[in-house]
Amino acid sequence: MTPPKLGWWWVATPVLLLGLYAFTRGEVRLAGYVMAAGVGLAAVLRLVLPAGRGGGLAVRSRFVDVATLVVLAVGLAVITHVLDLRPRG
């Protein structure tokens, strides 16, 4: 048995890594939005790619995968938006 090819997941991965880099630089809000965009990109890729080309993005049915990724992207964007980043004091 051969492992499945990861396919198009690598298109969204650099965006997510860019978000992690922004976080390490202290840009928390930017990092959250960039990571939400990366997850959103993964949702779009899963939606438009044929079933055999989804690779690592195809875990369950297309509907479940896209719905899960959209909920995660929107949730991350909303959480990032409502963050209170003012110092306490």
Side-chain angles (χ1 to χ4, degrees):
M1 188 154 111
T2 61
K5 294 182 179 179
L6 295 177
W8 284 80
W9 70 272
W10 59 268
V11 174
T13 302
V15 179
L16 295 169
L17 291 175
L18 185 62
L20 286 175
Y21 177 73
F23 183 75
T24 64
R25 304 286 297 171
E27 298 290 336
V28 177
R29 194 171 303 274
L30 174 64
Y33 286 133
V34 169
M35 293 185 77
V39 176
L41 175 61
V44 169
L45 287 172
R46 178 64 176 113
L47 181 65
V48 300
L49 289 173
R53 304 279 304 193
L57 296 173
V59 178
R60 306 258 185 233
S61 71
R62 183 183 310 264
F63 175 77
V64 171
D65 288 343
V66 171
T68 301
L69 289 167
V70 166
V71 166
L72 289 173
V74 170
L76 184 55
V78 168
I79 289 170
T80 300
H81 181 72
V82 300
L83 277 177
D84 182 11
L85 297 174
R86 291 175 290 173
R88 293 184 183 232

